[in-house]
């Protein structure tokens, strides 16, 4: 069994401290000497852990002043209604989305099955980057049946919101039918977008949203930066 490096264990422990509110956003972490004593390691090991956290965007060093908390992991509810802007705003974070690609193509087998389409039917695809307080927290891909929503890519280009875009087609509510969560390691491309190291832990969710009549309106995949988001499951969110 591969053992977790000591520096990585320290980074995980400090990240959990931030998530639990032991160190507030903008607050200063203990000095290297104090952390060395706490974990029973030398300062080099502590520096490696802090450098990793800085690379993840969780902390930032100030020359001569110490290391400060940049942001704590965001709680992200996965419930009956999953709404990006509402989830982030509820946590006191400023949500934003960047469009990476909008395209129309033939549905892959899994996509067609999820959307209850014929094999090879056309779908509209929205690839993007989700941010909280200007920090990337997730990559996402939203897939819609093209025949039912012919102009949704234009709506997404303008609104950058799935909820707002679907509303233009008369869908004033939709709910999550299914969510699957899988642990993954970031690929080189994912790492570049999320500003993490290649091989860093990420959480992939796949989900199906349906209208009030139960017809699927969206099949989505999201890759969350593991150290920046805590997925919470349950409830009627």
């Amino acid at each position: 069994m591969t053992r977790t490096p000591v520096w990585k264990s320290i980074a995980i422990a400090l990240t959990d401290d931030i998530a639990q509110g032991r160190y507030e956003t903008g607050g200063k972490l203990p000095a290297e000497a104090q952390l060395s004593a706490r974990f029973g390691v030398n300062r080099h090991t502590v520096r490696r852990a802090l450098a990793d956290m800085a690379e993840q965007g969780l902390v930032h060093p100030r020359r001569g002043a110490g290391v400060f908390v940049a942001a704590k992991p965001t709680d992200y509810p996965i419930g009956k209604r999953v709404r990006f802007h509402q989830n982030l705003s509820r946590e006191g974070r400023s949500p934003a989305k960047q469009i990476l690609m909008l395209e129309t193509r033939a549905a892959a087998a899994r996509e067609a099955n999820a959307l209850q389409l014929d094999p090879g039917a056309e779908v509209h695809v929205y690839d993007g980057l989700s941010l909280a307080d200007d920090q990337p927290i997730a990559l996402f891909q939203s897939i819609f049946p093209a025949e039912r929503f012919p102009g949704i890519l234009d709506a997404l280009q303008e609104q950058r919101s799935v909820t707002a875009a679907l509303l233009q087609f008369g869908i004033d509510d939709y709910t999550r039918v299914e969510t699957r969560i899988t642990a993954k390691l970031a690929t080189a491309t994912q790492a570049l977008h999320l500003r993490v190291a290649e091989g860093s832990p990420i959480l992939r969710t796949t989900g199906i949203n349906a209208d009030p009549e139960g017809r699927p309106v969206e099949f989505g995949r999201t890759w969350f930066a593991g150290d920046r988001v805590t997925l919470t499951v349950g409830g009627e969110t």
Side-chain angles (χ1 to χ4, degrees):
M1 179 181 295
T2 303
R3 296 181 60 185
T4 301
V6 175
W7 65 265
K8 187 64 176 178
S9 296
I10 294 172
I12 292 171
L14 291 174
T15 298
D16 184 64
D17 285 343
I18 294 171
Q20 297 300 322
R22 299 187 183 100
Y23 304 117
E24 296 294 335
T25 300
K28 183 179 178 180
L29 291 183
E32 286 183 3
Q34 292 174 286
L35 293 174
S36 296
R38 171 185 169 183
F39 293 106
V41 298
N42 58 41
R43 291 193 182 189
H44 175 76
T45 303
V46 169
R47 290 192 195 106
R48 179 68 180 86
L50 294 175
D52 179 72
M53 293 175 68
E55 190 173 334
Q56 305 293 331
L58 291 171
V59 300
H60 57 89
R62 296 179 188 169
R63 185 178 296 275
V67 177
F68 294 80
V69 177
K72 67 178 181 179
T74 300
D75 280 349
Y76 195 91
I78 302 292
K80 184 177 180 181
R81 289 176 176 81
V82 181
R83 305 290 189 267
F84 169 73
H85 285 82
Q86 291 181 13
N87 283 353
L88 271 291
S89 297
R90 188 182 295 116
E91 290 295 309
R93 310 294 296 275
S94 178
K97 287 190 175 182
Q98 291 180 3
I99 296 173
L100 298 179
M101 184 172 66
L102 298 170
E103 68 169 341
T104 301
R105 58 168 171 78
R110 186 179 183 189
E111 297 162 353
N113 182 64
L115 293 171
Q116 298 177 11
L117 302 174
D118 292 332
E122 282 198 338
V123 290
H124 294 315
V125 184
Y126 172 26
D127 288 307
L129 184 65
S130 298
L131 302 100
D133 300 332
D134 296 322
Q135 180 186 53
I137 62 169
L139 285 161
F140 66 87
Q141 182 178 76
S142 293
I143 302 168
F144 309 90
E147 183 176 0
R148 185 176 181 187
F149 305 117
I152 199 168
L153 293 185
D154 291 333
L156 290 166
Q157 177 75 59
E158 179 182 351
Q159 302 285 350
R160 304 198 182 193
S161 164
V162 170
T163 301
L166 288 174
L167 185 60
Q168 293 190 21
F169 292 87
I171 308 297
D172 57 6
D173 189 26
Y174 58 92
T175 54
R176 182 60 60 95
V177 175
E178 174 185 282
T179 300
R180 294 176 180 270
I181 304 173
T182 309
K184 295 286 185 180
L185 298 178
T187 65
T189 302
Q190 292 168 339
L192 179 65
H193 284 300
L194 294 172
R195 300 178 200 165
V196 301
E198 184 178 354
S200 294
I202 58 176
L203 295 172
R204 186 192 70 189
T205 67
T206 59
I208 302 170
N209 287 318
D211 64 18
E213 284 70 48
R215 296 177 63 194
V217 296
E218 177 194 12
F219 174 62
R221 302 180 179 97
T222 305
W223 297 264
F224 291 94
D227 290 342
R228 297 179 194 158
V229 175
T230 300
L231 298 180
T232 59
V233 181
E236 296 297 312
T237 299

